[in-house]
Amino acid sequence: DPRVRREAEALVAAGRPVDVFALRRPGAPAREVVDGVWVHRLPVERHQGAGIPTYLTEYGAFFARAAVALVRAHRRRRYALVQVHSLPDPLVFAALPLRLAGVPLLLDLHEAMPEFFRIRFPSATNRLVHGLLVVAERASITAADAVLTVNEALAERLVAAGIPAAKIHVVRNAPALARFDPATYPPRRFAEDGVVRLVYAGALSPVYELPCAIEAVARLRTALAERGLGLRFDVYGRDYGEVPLEAKVAELGLDGLVAFHGRIPIEAVPAAIAAADIGLAPTRRTAFTDFSLSTKLFEYAAMGKPVVASALPMVARMFPPDTIARYEPGDPADLEAAVLRLVDDPAERSRRVERTLERVRALAWEREAERYVALVGALIEGCQPSPPTAAHRTGGQS
């Protein structure tokens, strides 16, 4: 997970040794050092896109193995802090033995678990299930000394639910500009080969409306041909079969225009973006995504590419109107129009690229890392962590 990796690397850079206990994919080593971080892979594999029984079995297996591995490692390593990344929130209780031994516990909430469950398993969602998930979320937060969230909207949601504001800290989920540096890759002028190249790099789950993007590509094919331009849509991400994207491509006759490259490591993402002209961030509008802000926006912008994204609340909150181009979620015609405006108006395209890059630099991980490392240090030293700045409470620049 890029967030886990950024945080671990930031602590190592600050002189703190870090162990990560994680899932293990087939063929991966059980233990290795990655950029100075000791990674311990436990023999549990997650099957993305599976049903609830499979998820519960895998979460339970990881919970048990992580709890045992953590206690054993603590006897040798004497950890100064344990950080647990959610989902699921109750994973925090795997660290309870160390918490009872006086080790501070930090819970990093990547998502809002009740809202995530509702969109991921709509047929299993009802008032009772939602209530139980809310109780589990609150109990998990209570067990931790401090809580991280990835943006201001999630923090405000927790405060509205009765969680003390002093316990919640925002460390934005922004990419490291050192990794997304366009100067490292061959430059590409917009459509220099006569082909407008769109790119998507991220999850292929139902949360992201790739079918809408593919329908927009079908419309763009004709519109760009009238302008004497070709079209290509490169999709990077693992397909778990939850959404029949390849069938959609075949149905619309887009074979050869849409290419699925599968999942690629984070180190390869900048090069994939550098080879494109426009980055797409299509996301469904739901109660869950109202609290989310895709890191794809940051990655595309950091690489100097214009961005087209769904008009979600957090996009409007974090990016001014003259930065990211937006379209109404679920509307392929509006997505087509947003892309064509960038194609037809080079001046506007350049302005948007410059303004978005300015905003991304103000929100970059290099700034967030300082806040994160300071929070960890305060927890280890037993100090009261500093409250969020006014800029973080409002979503403004810091």
Side-chain angles (χ1 to χ4, degrees):
D1 183 281
R3 179 176 177 86
V4 177
R5 182 164 179 168
R6 283 192 299 268
E7 292 178 351
E9 290 174 354
L11 292 175
V12 168
R16 296 191 183 277
V18 177
D19 288 0
V20 171
F21 295 85
L23 298 166
R24 185 180 181 184
R25 292 196 183 97
R31 191 167 181 259
E32 68 173 327
V33 179
V34 180
D35 291 334
V37 179
W38 274 104
V39 180
H40 307 261
R41 295 188 179 91
L42 307 179
V44 180
E45 183 182 0
R46 185 178 64 175
H47 292 83
Q48 191 78 24
I52 294 176
T54 300
Y55 272 116
L56 291 176
T57 299
E58 292 170 352
Y59 284 148
F62 183 78
F63 181 100
R65 291 180 182 275
V68 172
L70 190 59
V71 169
R72 288 176 175 173
H74 182 59
R75 292 172 182 167
R76 303 187 309 271
R77 300 280 277 168
R78 309 309 300 175
Y79 292 118
L81 176 137
V82 180
Q83 179 171 348
V84 177
H85 292 265
S86 169
L87 304 168
D89 298 347
L91 184 59
V92 73
F93 293 104
L96 193 57
L98 271 66
R99 176 75 174 84
L100 295 175
V103 179
L105 180 54
L106 176 61
L107 177 61
D108 196 335
L109 298 174
H110 294 204
E111 317 278 8
M113 187 174 71
E115 284 76 12
F116 177 84
F117 187 91
R118 179 177 290 165
I119 188 175
R120 181 65 187 80
F121 302 106
S123 62
T125 299
N126 54 47
R127 184 175 297 179
L128 174 61
V129 170
H130 184 77
L132 290 174
L133 291 171
V134 170
V135 170
E137 177 186 62
R138 190 177 186 92
S140 302
I141 292 172
T142 300
D145 291 276
V147 174
L148 290 182
T149 65
V150 297
N151 60 50
E152 292 74 16
L154 281 172
E156 291 164 2
R157 170 189 169 276
L158 293 175
V159 171
I163 305 300
K167 193 170 188 175
I168 305 165
H169 303 266
V170 175
V171 173
R172 296 186 182 116
N173 209 15
L177 295 184
R179 178 166 285 142
F180 290 85
D181 180 5
T184 309
Y185 304 90
R188 173 181 168 82
R189 300 191 313 277
F190 191 88
E192 64 180 18
D193 53 357
V195 177
V196 176
R197 298 183 178 273
L198 311 177
V199 67
Y200 173 87
L204 305 187
S205 67
V207 173
Y208 302 101
E209 51 180 21
L210 271 301
C212 178
I214 292 171
E215 290 180 21
V217 167
R219 304 173 66 97
L220 283 165
R221 172 176 53 183
T222 302
L224 290 176
E226 294 172 352
R227 292 162 169 79
L229 294 169
L231 177 63
R232 168 86 173 189
F233 183 27
D234 290 296
V235 179
Y236 296 89
R238 181 178 295 177
D239 184 1
Y240 295 100
E242 295 179 88
V243 184
L245 298 176
E246 292 186 353
K248 186 76 171 178
V249 168
E251 172 192 336
L252 297 175
L254 298 176
D255 294 314
L257 295 184
V258 180
F260 297 97
H261 300 277
R263 182 174 182 167
I264 57 175
I266 186 65
E267 294 86 353
V269 172
I273 297 173
D277 297 305
I278 298 174
L280 298 186
T283 307
R284 291 173 56 198
R285 177 80 190 271
T286 67
F288 169 68
T289 58
D290 278 354
F291 294 108
S292 66
L293 181 65
S294 173
T295 56
K296 289 183 285 292
L297 308 178
F298 294 86
E299 294 169 357
Y300 299 149
M303 293 300 295
K305 304 298 178 180
V307 184
V308 179
S310 304
L312 300 179
M314 282 301 297
V315 175
R317 177 169 181 167
M318 300 303 294
F319 290 92
D322 60 347
T323 56
I324 291 171
R326 296 155 206 185
Y327 76 96
E328 283 301 311
D331 189 343
D334 201 32
L335 175 51
E336 174 202 19
V339 171
L340 289 178
R341 284 193 295 271
L342 293 175
V343 172
D344 293 338
D345 192 338
E348 179 187 356
R349 185 173 69 235
S350 297
R351 283 195 300 271
R352 286 186 179 277
V353 168
E354 292 173 4
R355 292 285 294 119
T356 308
L357 183 56
E358 289 176 7
R359 184 66 177 135
V360 165
R361 285 173 175 164
L363 301 171
W365 173 249
E366 282 75 4
R367 294 193 177 201
E368 297 299 304
E370 296 178 6
R371 185 176 295 105
Y372 167 69
V373 170
L375 170 63
V376 169
L379 289 170
I380 290 173
E381 294 164 10
C383 304
Q384 178 65 31
S386 300
T389 65
H392 264 69
R393 286 194 298 268
T394 62
Q397 295 188 22
S398 58

